[in-house]
Amino acid sequence: MVKICCIGAGYVGGPTMAVIALKCPSIEVVVVDISVSRITAWNSDQLPIYEPGLEQVVKQCRGNNLFFSTDVEKHVSEADIIFVSVNTPTKTRGLGAGKAADLTYWESAARMIANVSTSNKIVVEKSTVPVKTAEAIEKILSFNSKGINYQILSNPEFLAEGTAIQDLFNPDRVLIGGRETPEGQRAIQALKDVYAHWVPEDRIITTNLWSAELSKLAANAFLAQRISSVNAMSALCEATGADIAQVADAVGKDTRIGPKFLNASVGFGGSCFQKDILNLIYICECNGLTEVASYWKQVIKVNDYQKNRFVNKVVSSMFNTVSGKKIAVLGFAFKKDTGDTRETPAIDVCKGLLGDKARLSIYDPQVTEDQIQRDLSLNKFDWDHPVHLQPMSPNTVKQVSFVWDAYEATKESHGVCILTEWDEFKSLDFQRIFDNMQKPAFVFDGRNIVDVKKLRDIGFIVYSIGKPLDPWLKGMSA
Ligand code: NAI
């Protein structure tokens, strides 16, 4: 029986391995992690991450051919194929701080593999890593090899949170990069055989190692660039009276462009886009490609601009101050159908409003109070380290309250900010919300999900990104 071990039981390691176990009953899959709390949660009824469909998959295989364990060394030493899916945060100190990927966790995983292995291994990069990481890993392994043969493959993950299970069941492509040697090609084939249990062969692409590593960074940069493009256009729509939804629809009808990923919003978030683009920028700079680096930098700058613009719109329309005012925040996750808050635009928007001394009442159907308090008090990039290395009890931000109901959050508030596009926000009773708010009552829709006309008819002053401005907001600086 082929044995797979995955190091890192996070948003990628957990769902990916659960689907491999489900689709390949003849393979034993063990997911290991140094975080005891994460492994305990994977073995319980309360999984550590929320993802539609995940629970059913885990329940079907757990205890049969899918296991979660903290006994990292044992399972690594027994495995034929080792996936490494650990954190690759942005460096906060030293050379490349604020841009380069911090490979501390990757390197320690590689050294541990070298220490405990007694048989040949295929080591698969599942984490997103800088181009040429495989070479570094190869060196660590081969210098400590004790005669063992290691083949390194790059198999970046393209799943999107919120649709991870669907994406894994039916991927657009699976990408496998490896050495162009007979051993390298055999390793590629071994991993191909795993995916071939359910992925059509023409969707499994094989390349050299560096193309696979770079393709992941490039794919995320292209996706984020699309969001920044439509967001940049949304600012121009507000200035001219055009409607971003109509512009995006017209633009997306061109089959060369396509309609997906063209929703204007308060900005992109998630653990990957910013981190991977910063990483790409750093690689460009290291290779002397300053113009290419500054081209990609602009994608992040526009994203920051969009978040700032949103905060400025809120403050300026409420008489240039939100000091002491109650602002309801609906949605904190970086997008719907996930509880993940890493790099969510809600953090920057909330911090911006708190900077102007607002009182916030936050509701998100999948995010806990503890998580929100952490996010609002952690330093930039600290979130991307294993949980046990983060501060135990971060400072409590006192001006923030957390409720489990949208109506409670909005009660007696001066304004409502919609920051995640949860479906339930689309069907809220806005008349009821209006009746219980201070007047004038404002709605700032950061996801373009409300019916602007209907809300204006109720009496709200509405700001919706990229839409013709409410007369109240015209001429206000932001
Ligand atoms: P995560 O933070 O949810 O999970 C990483 C896990 O690795 C943590 O549970 C941590 O405790 C564990 N870990 C760290 N060092 C370890 C070690 N030496 N031994 C055992 N366990 C260790 O991160 P996530 O989101 O799963 O991402 C992992 C990688 O996949 C990152 O490189 C990320 O950029 C990439 N990725 C993430 C996607 C996403 O949507 N979250 C999508 C595609 C790629």
Side-chain angles (χ1 to χ4, degrees):
M1 189 185 215
V2 175
K3 287 192 176 186
I4 287 180
C5 176
C6 175
I7 307 176
Y11 284 86
V12 170
T16 321
M17 293 303 124
V19 168
I20 290 182
L22 182 78
K23 299 291 186 182
C24 312
S26 59
I27 297 179
E28 182 191 277
V29 182
V30 185
V31 191
V32 296
D33 204 295
I34 40 180
S35 162
V36 177
S37 59
R38 262 212 162 152
I39 292 297
T40 308
W42 279 111
N43 282 319
S44 75
D45 285 337
Q46 197 66 50
L47 301 184
I49 60 177
Y50 171 71
E51 195 59 63
L54 174 65
E55 201 176 319
Q56 290 90 311
V57 175
V58 170
K59 280 193 172 152
Q60 239 174 297
C61 323
R62 198 173 51 192
N64 297 327
N65 65 332
L66 174 67
F67 304 90
F68 296 92
S69 169
T70 48
D71 199 345
V72 180
E73 299 188 354
K74 172 179 184 287
H75 294 291
V76 165
S77 80
E78 288 174 358
D80 306 295
I81 302 176
I82 302 165
F83 285 84
V84 184
S85 184
V86 300
N87 324 57
T88 47
T90 305
K91 269 184 94 170
T92 48
R93 284 179 205 183
L95 189 65
K99 276 184 261 182
D102 177 349
L103 293 177
T104 313
Y105 304 108
W106 233 107
E107 184 175 337
S108 84
R111 288 185 186 280
M112 185 269 300
I113 295 173
N115 282 340
V116 304
S117 292
T118 51
S119 57
N120 295 346
K121 310 280 182 210
I122 295 174
V123 178
V124 185
E125 291 177 343
K126 202 44 151 169
S127 304
T128 305
V129 290
V131 189
K132 296 277 175 180
T133 298
E135 201 167 69
I137 302 306
E138 227 168 35
K139 282 186 183 141
I140 293 173
L141 293 172
S142 60
F143 274 87
N144 297 282
S145 78
K146 299 170 283 188
I148 292 166
N149 181 271
Y150 294 102
Q151 283 302 318
I152 321 291
L153 299 179
S154 165
N155 173 221
E157 185 48 60
F158 293 102
L159 66 78
E161 285 177 31
T163 53
I165 297 299
Q166 228 174 291
D167 297 342
L168 288 164
F169 278 178
N170 191 20
D172 290 337
R173 79 301 210 186
V174 166
L175 178 57
I176 305 175
R179 285 280 182 200
E180 286 148 318
T181 57
E183 298 83 4
Q185 294 302 304
R186 269 200 297 279
I188 289 179
Q189 190 57 46
L191 188 55
K192 239 180 137 175
D193 290 345
V194 173
Y195 285 107
H197 279 85
W198 80 99
V199 181
E201 196 158 342
D202 59 356
R203 292 211 204 151
I204 306 178
I205 309 170
T206 59
T207 64
N208 72 27
L209 275 169
W210 325 127
S211 301
E213 288 179 338
L214 184 56
S215 299
K216 174 63 194 177
L217 296 179
N220 273 354
F222 276 48
L223 288 167
Q225 179 204 42
R226 227 170 133 90
I227 299 179
S228 280
S229 296
V230 76
N231 282 345
M233 216 44 89
S234 75
L236 189 56
C237 284
E238 288 167 27
T240 56
D243 180 328
I244 192 64
Q246 293 174 352
V247 172
D249 183 51
V251 170
K253 283 277 184 329
D254 186 325
T255 49
R256 292 169 301 177
I257 297 172
K260 290 185 185 165
F261 244 62
L262 283 180
N263 291 330
S265 70
V266 61
F268 61 72
S271 65
C272 296
F273 283 175
Q274 173 162 300
K275 166 171 83 84
D276 294 349
I277 294 176
L278 288 171
N279 189 344
L280 188 67
I281 291 167
Y282 184 68
I283 296 169
C284 292
E285 286 173 351
C286 290
N287 283 285
L289 303 171
T290 40
E291 281 77 10
V292 184
S294 54
Y295 174 77
W296 289 111
K297 245 181 227 168
Q298 208 55 33
V299 172
I300 295 179
K301 278 194 182 164
V302 168
N303 199 46
D304 288 339
Y305 165 74
Q306 191 76 344
K307 291 182 273 190
N308 284 335
R309 224 164 63 75
F310 188 85
V311 172
N312 291 347
K313 273 280 186 300
V314 176
V315 178
S316 65
S317 48
M318 297 174 87
F319 314 104
N320 242 1
T321 177
V322 286
S323 178
K325 292 177 185 164
K326 177 177 173 182
I327 309 285
V329 172
L330 299 187
F332 199 83
F334 85 94
K335 64 169 170 176
K336 74 170 181 175
D337 292 338
T338 176
D340 194 354
T341 58
R342 295 178 291 178
E343 291 288 352
T344 174
I347 295 175
D348 286 337
V349 170
C350 288
K351 282 186 173 172
L353 295 173
L354 289 168
D356 219 285
K357 298 204 175 126
R359 288 182 299 121
L360 303 182
S361 182
I362 305 179
Y363 164 64
D364 185 291
Q366 285 297 335
V367 184
T368 61
E369 176 169 17
D370 181 56
Q371 186 61 50
I372 290 174
Q373 285 290 358
R374 261 173 192 285
D375 289 334
L376 294 178
S377 52
L378 280 180
N379 292 327
K380 204 166 166 60
F381 302 127
D382 275 358
W383 54 268
D384 201 6
H385 291 270
V387 180
H388 67 284
L389 297 180
Q390 291 174 15
M392 284 301 281
S393 47
N395 300 331
T396 307
V397 185
K398 293 206 182 67
Q399 308 90 309
V400 174
S401 66
F402 177 84
V403 291
W404 275 112
D405 175 67
Y407 296 103
E408 192 56 38
T410 52
K411 203 165 158 188
E412 283 163 21
S413 66
H414 294 254
V416 179
C417 295
I418 301 173
L419 300 184
T420 313
E421 71 282 21
W422 285 104
D423 287 339
E424 66 176 71
F425 298 156
K426 294 177 190 162
S427 52
L428 286 171
D429 179 351
F430 277 99
Q431 182 66 57
R432 178 177 161 198
I433 289 176
F434 181 80
D435 292 343
N436 289 321
M437 281 177 67
Q438 310 270 0
K439 307 294 174 326
F442 298 83
V443 168
F444 303 93
D445 183 2
R447 297 289 177 169
N448 286 356
I449 57 169
V450 301
D451 180 337
V452 176
K453 182 175 179 317
K454 200 166 139 197
L455 263 62
R456 287 196 183 131
D457 288 347
I458 291 174
F460 282 106
I461 295 157
V462 185
Y463 168 69
S464 197
I465 289 184
K467 301 283 178 128
L469 286 181
D470 196 294
W472 180 283
L473 292 153
K474 277 195 186 138
M476 281 185 181
S477 61

